[in-house]
Amino acid sequence: EEDGGWKRRSIETFVQTDLVTHSLPDLRRSVPSVIDGLKPSQRKVLHACFQKKLLPSAAEIKVAQLAGFVTEATAYHHGEASMHQTIVKMAQDFVGSNNVPLLEPCGQFGTRADGGKDAASARYIFTRLGPLAPLLFPSADAPVLTYMEEDGQLVEPEHFVPILPVLLLNGSFGVGTGWSTSCHSYHPIQVLDNVLANAEGRPMRPMVPWAAGFTGQIELWEDGKKEDAKNCPKCKLE
């Protein structure tokens, strides 16, 4: 029905067409994959770093230069500033950011005092793959990954398959349309112990959130009673 030049539609039609078309890509960008713990932009950065062979032994590269390569190699369609921010966040190592940064922060990548927002300009800071990134994402897996196609070129995989669940190592936060995620980070050794226990058929131990460099006290509550996480017998490292 036409009304003053505008086409009138029901709310149901709007939700099932325009809103869904917007919401699905928004969710894919905002909520990380449980398989590799990465959002699409982070996956593009990691893939581009492996393509460019920015191994821990390689020379550092400017964040701005890496962002340009990621855009070209993975058909990234969003703003340059967003890619700079993604790279910076993947390299941050202050308390509460990443327990295992996938990129190395060579320069001022932000501080805990300002939540990482005080990072220097992408023109003046450098990065490369962190020392544990090639171990978490072995190059031997590359031939068996399923790569996506965009604009007629093969880009990053649908997801990587890391040796350990990166989502539990570094945690993640994201808000999409109708869905959100907030996952705490955990001690890498505890995560490793539980992966081995699961692989060997042994029971896994409960884990307590952990952040590298954090010296405060984490409190656990169970059945309305507070417990000291440091003295929790179920959550101690073996």
Side-chain angles (χ1 to χ4, degrees):
E1 181 181 350
E2 298 295 334
D3 182 17
W6 293 91
K7 186 176 181 180
R8 300 177 63 185
R9 292 184 296 175
S10 67
I11 294 177
E12 180 182 0
T13 301
F14 169 75
V15 169
Q16 296 296 337
T17 55
D18 296 344
L19 188 59
V20 168
T21 303
H22 162 76
S23 298
L24 287 177
D26 179 45
L27 281 169
R28 293 189 185 102
R29 291 193 302 267
S30 305
V31 179
S33 166
V34 72
I35 298 176
D36 59 13
L38 301 174
K39 299 176 182 178
S41 57
Q42 297 170 327
R43 197 173 296 113
K44 287 177 180 291
V45 171
L46 191 61
H47 174 70
C49 287
F50 284 126
Q51 289 287 95
K52 201 169 180 63
K53 293 182 171 52
L54 286 177
L55 300 175
S57 58
E60 306 159 0
I61 185 175
K62 283 186 179 180
V63 168
Q65 185 180 350
L66 175 58
F69 179 77
V70 174
T71 301
E72 178 183 356
T74 65
Y76 182 73
H77 297 303
H78 303 284
E80 191 175 87
S82 297
M83 179 52 64
H84 292 168
Q85 189 178 29
T86 297
I87 296 172
V88 167
K89 286 185 176 181
M90 290 177 68
Q92 288 173 337
D93 61 355
F94 55 83
V95 177
S97 56
N98 298 299
N99 289 335
V100 183
L102 299 180
L103 301 180
E104 187 175 342
C106 305
Q108 173 54 283
F109 277 72
T111 64
R112 184 186 182 191
D114 205 12
K117 296 179 180 178
D118 51 343
S121 171
R123 301 189 302 272
Y124 307 122
I125 52 180
F126 297 76
T127 191
R128 59 190 168 198
L129 285 170
L132 296 180
L135 301 179
L136 285 171
F137 301 89
S139 58
D141 290 347
V144 299
L145 298 177
T146 301
Y147 293 86
M148 299 189 296
E149 184 176 341
E150 197 161 347
D151 294 342
Q153 70 177 107
L154 288 179
V155 290
E156 76 280 359
E158 291 181 2
H159 51 73
F160 289 96
V161 186
I163 297 298
L164 296 179
V166 174
L167 186 61
L168 297 181
L169 297 180
N170 292 330
S172 185
F173 175 80
V175 178
T177 304
W179 298 85
S180 67
T181 181
S182 180
C183 180
H184 295 294
S185 59
Y186 296 89
H187 198 296
I189 301 301
Q190 283 187 328
V191 175
L192 173 60
D193 285 346
N194 273 334
V195 169
L196 291 176
N198 185 61
E200 296 169 358
R202 294 184 284 110
M204 294 186 289
R205 288 173 173 265
M207 297 188 298
V208 176
W210 182 86
F214 179 67
T215 57
Q217 180 176 333
I218 297 176
E219 296 178 349
L220 296 179
W221 289 76
E222 186 174 356
D223 298 329
K225 182 180 178 182
K226 185 174 71 174
E227 298 180 0
D228 184 357
K230 292 183 178 180
N231 299 323
C232 175
K234 298 185 296 183
C235 309
K236 285 187 176 181
L237 297 176
E238 291 183 345

